Amino acid sequence: MVGPYAGFVGEVWEEFPQLAEWHDDDPAQLQMWNMEKFIEAGYHNFHAERKQLYHISKLIEKHAQDNAQPLLATFEEIARYKFVEKRYQKLIEKIPKIWVIADYGKTKLQTPDKINIINCKNTHLSNVWSVITRGPYGPFGLIAEEYEDGKFRGFFTLNPNVTRHVLTVMGKTLGTKFNIQ
């Protein structure tokens, strides 16, 4: 297993070292949590597989849709985005802006104007899975990275300072700014 200060998640933990020490319960529990449970936890570290991350992602996407908030989602590769593309095209009807970050190489994608596709090829974001939106206290969301095939480590955070840091690092890496403050 990867040490606590490696990769993208490690960069965040270096800025907020106390977070690396927080709870990391049984990942099967994550699938049973609803958005209220994640909000109650405020911050939660985990080691998980795609199934658990997909569950958390859908909760955050629903929050963005229900509250008409912008959404940022990273996908390791464009095939992962293609899996949810139709759903995202429906989400955009109620969400003001969606940023999709993926390693899409030279693939050409046709998306509605409110969906901005950003290529993360040749960056340390190409193995990151994140879903971020705005909540009542500022930006919040899921940040994880694949450290082994199909295995992820990361965290859910309601802390806007942590999430703003994540957005800043992503923005600097990609040469853009994400307005989810």
Side-chain angles (χ1 to χ4, degrees):
M1 186 163 96
V2 174
Y5 295 107
F8 184 74
V9 170
E11 278 186 60
V12 176
W13 284 341
E14 285 175 7
E15 186 69 21
F16 302 93
Q18 71 281 8
L19 298 180
E21 307 303 321
W22 283 35
H23 40 77
D24 183 3
D25 297 330
D26 175 11
Q29 297 275 332
L30 297 174
Q31 282 179 244
M32 294 183 258
W33 286 17
N34 58 23
M35 183 54 79
E36 289 75 29
K37 180 73 174 168
F38 281 103
I39 289 172
E40 179 186 310
Y43 182 89
H44 186 83
N45 285 334
F46 55 79
H47 285 83
E49 296 179 356
R50 290 187 195 286
K51 190 173 184 179
Q52 290 93 12
L53 296 185
Y54 187 66
H55 171 72
I56 301 167
S57 297
K58 286 187 75 173
L59 293 174
I60 296 168
E61 292 163 355
K62 182 172 178 2
H63 175 87
Q65 182 180 27
D66 291 350
N67 294 282
Q69 294 298 326
L71 180 72
L72 177 142
T74 60
F75 300 84
E76 304 97 306
E77 55 191 46
I78 202 59
R80 305 266 185 243
Y81 170 67
K82 294 302 251 175
F83 179 71
V84 298
E85 184 175 26
K86 287 182 183 174
R87 188 160 48 86
Y88 270 54
Q89 290 180 350
K90 287 192 186 294
L91 285 173
I92 199 65
E93 294 171 6
K94 297 193 177 177
I95 293 177
K97 176 83 173 168
I98 296 177
W99 293 273
V100 171
I101 301 168
D103 179 351
Y104 60 84
K106 296 179 182 180
T107 304
K108 299 287 185 203
L109 298 168
Q110 297 296 325
T111 61
D113 292 340
K114 294 191 307 182
I115 298 179
N116 186 8
I117 306 281
I118 302 170
N119 197 346
C120 67
K121 185 177 181 152
N122 299 324
T123 72
H124 66 302
L125 298 177
S126 61
N127 67 341
V128 172
W129 179 326
S130 66
V131 182
I132 299 170
T133 191
R134 187 177 358 199
Y137 309 109
F140 77 95
L142 157 73
I143 294 86
E145 65 185 330
E146 192 170 29
Y147 65 89
E148 192 176 291
D149 190 33
K151 296 187 185 286
F152 296 81
R153 66 173 182 147
F155 56 89
F156 169 88
T157 185
L158 199 60
N159 184 321
N161 294 327
V162 174
T163 311
R164 282 186 191 105
H165 177 72
V166 167
L167 292 168
T168 298
V169 172
M170 286 180 166
K172 284 180 183 176
T173 300
L174 299 169
T176 191
K177 184 173 181 178
F178 303 107
N179 187 16
I180 306 180
Q181 310 301 329

